[in-house]
Amino acid sequence: MKAVTKVGNWMSKWFTLLVVLWAAVNYFLPQTSLWIAPKTPILLGIILFGMGLTLNRDDFARILKQPIPVILGTFAHYAIMPTIAWLLCLLFHLSGPTAVGVILVGSCPSGTSSSVMAYLAKGDVALDVSIEALSTLLAPIMLPTMLKLYAGQWVAIPTQQLFLSTVKIVVIPIIAGVIVHTLFSKQAEKVTKALPLVSQVAILAIIGAVFAANHADLFTAQTALVIPVVMLHNLSGYGLGFLFSHLIRLREPQRKAITFEVGMQDSSLGATLAMKYFVPAAAIPSTIFSIWHNISGSILSSWWRQHTHETMQDLEREAAQAKAQAQATR
């Protein structure tokens, strides 16, 4: 298990680079992962089962004990990200599968890597995990609703099928993971050490499958617009998430958590549903989002961590100076 944990830690450190390299491999050698495409729902189910294994009754009790920040953070996520996606589609004149793909990733629940970014940024990880859990459990309702509202003008949205698939792919694996954790907590704690590695391998497999399926269409004039749209989508989510948390007067660690929870999406879910219910090109925005939000999240968490460190040093220095001045005047 130590070796697995060590490999998982190494992959976590270099995950963004590995995503870029693996995407490039599958772009030039699509046969590498093309066979994985039909199995992406299974891979996503494994990821979310692992998420369920890391949750326990305390995580859900926290939502009941301190519901306001969790509810407001979840509301901000589903109010901000789909709306930004729709506005960007209008601004960049996107339509068809590309627009659907952008709105689909914007309608997904919070990204599973947001809690890592919140931890690195010295944010409120408990709040982050609670929002992530609630937004994910609400996904069967919110995702088809947002997609129907914002993307229904371009394509027919299979609302009922999306609801059932999201329940099957997202909710059931999470609940199964929570039940296993509750019944076999000691064994589950041992297994969870391997979960980062399992999740990262599964995410890489999904990204490889999407790139392999879309290798011929990735750099057309239409899809070239996806890159700036995805970047603006993610960065706007960070900015508006932070502004929202500031307006409702949350503390700094909570503002960091909500910033990541709003701006980071479960892009693996977006890619999986796009491949299942729309044309493969609709999965491109989710795949690019997966690469980009890991890069931007790493940069933002590093800056915040350094900024927090400097702020604490300044506060300690000011306190020491105030104490010295008080002693001098006695």
Side-chain angles (χ1 to χ4, degrees), residues 11-21 117 290-296 298:
M11 285 193 69
S12 297
K13 182 178 179 180
W14 299 103
F15 188 65
T16 301
L17 179 60
L18 290 171
V19 167
V20 174
L21 292 175
M117 301 306 174
S290 181
I291 297 171
W292 168 250
H293 80 171
N294 279 294
I295 295 172
S296 65
S298 299

Side-chain angles (χ1 to χ4, degrees), residues 11-326:
M11 285 193 69
S12 297
K13 182 178 179 180
W14 299 103
F15 188 65
T16 301
L17 179 60
L18 290 171
V19 167
V20 174
L21 292 175
W22 187 238
V25 167
N26 284 279
Y27 173 73
F28 291 107
L29 301 171
Q31 294 303 320
T32 305
S33 299
L34 199 57
W35 60 276
I36 298 175
K39 300 176 176 61
T40 52
I42 298 173
L43 293 170
L44 186 60
I46 292 171
I47 294 170
L48 291 166
F49 176 77
M51 176 184 170
L53 277 178
T54 65
L55 300 174
N56 54 44
R57 286 173 293 182
D58 293 338
D59 294 310
F60 295 99
R62 192 184 304 117
I63 297 175
L64 298 176
K65 290 178 182 177
Q66 297 180 322
I68 301 302
V70 179
I71 292 171
L72 289 177
T74 305
F75 166 79
H77 177 85
Y78 279 118
I80 290 171
M81 293 305 281
T83 305
I84 295 175
W86 175 68
L87 291 173
L88 287 170
C89 287
L90 297 180
L91 180 63
F92 284 83
H93 303 289
L94 300 180
S95 61
T98 306
V100 173
V102 171
I103 294 172
L104 175 57
V105 71
S107 302
C108 285
S110 303
T112 53
S113 52
S114 60
S115 56
V116 177
M117 301 306 174
Y119 170 76
L120 294 175
K122 300 184 184 297
D124 189 335
V125 179
L127 175 61
D128 189 287
V129 171
S130 297
I131 295 173
E132 182 181 331
L134 183 58
S135 70
T136 303
L137 291 173
L138 289 175
I141 297 172
M142 296 305 298
L143 194 153
T145 301
M146 294 294 102
L147 201 57
K148 180 75 172 178
L149 176 65
Y150 288 115
Q153 60 183 302
W154 289 298
V155 296
I157 307 299
T159 308
Q160 185 176 356
Q161 293 93 324
L162 280 170
F163 172 82
L164 294 174
S165 282
T166 311
V167 169
K168 184 168 65 174
I169 296 172
V170 176
V171 177
I172 291 177
I174 290 178
I175 293 176
V178 172
I179 292 172
V180 170
H181 189 171
T182 302
L183 296 177
F184 308 100
S185 57
K186 292 183 179 180
Q187 294 88 337
E189 287 175 4
K190 295 178 181 179
V191 173
T192 52
K193 294 179 181 178
L195 290 180
L197 177 60
V198 173
S199 297
Q200 287 158 356
V201 170
I203 291 170
L204 284 173
I206 292 172
I207 290 172
V210 174
F211 261 75
N214 291 283
H215 73 282
D217 301 315
L218 279 171
F219 297 106
T220 63
Q222 179 79 347
T223 55
L225 285 173
V226 172
I227 296 175
V229 167
V230 164
M231 294 173 69
L232 285 171
H233 191 189
N234 169 242
L235 297 177
S236 298
Y238 289 153
L240 292 175
F242 181 82
L243 177 62
F244 175 83
S245 62
H246 184 75
L247 290 174
I248 60 177
R249 300 181 179 181
L250 294 179
R251 295 178 292 105
E252 183 179 7
Q254 293 177 314
R255 293 201 297 266
K256 293 176 181 178
I258 287 182
T259 297
F260 287 117
E261 279 300 302
V262 171
M264 300 187 78
Q265 302 295 94
D266 190 348
S267 47
S268 298
L269 174 61
T272 300
L273 293 177
M275 296 281 284
K276 185 176 179 64
Y277 289 107
F278 305 102
V279 298
I284 294 175
S286 291
T287 305
I288 295 175
F289 202 107
S290 181
I291 297 171
W292 168 250
H293 80 171
N294 279 294
I295 295 172
S296 65
S298 299
I299 294 171
L300 179 58
S301 63
S302 297
W303 183 88
W304 244 331
R305 184 172 65 252
Q306 180 63 31
H307 179 72
T308 302
H309 178 67
E310 291 175 353
T311 301
M312 291 299 297
Q313 286 184 328
D314 291 339
L315 291 173
E316 291 171 358
R317 192 180 301 112
E318 290 174 3
Q321 290 174 351
K323 184 177 180 180
Q325 290 176 354

Side-chain angles (χ1 to χ4, degrees), residues 1-10 193-194 197:
M1 188 60 72
K2 288 183 178 179
V4 172
T5 304
K6 188 174 181 180
V7 174
N9 292 336
W10 179 87
K193 294 179 181 178
L197 177 60

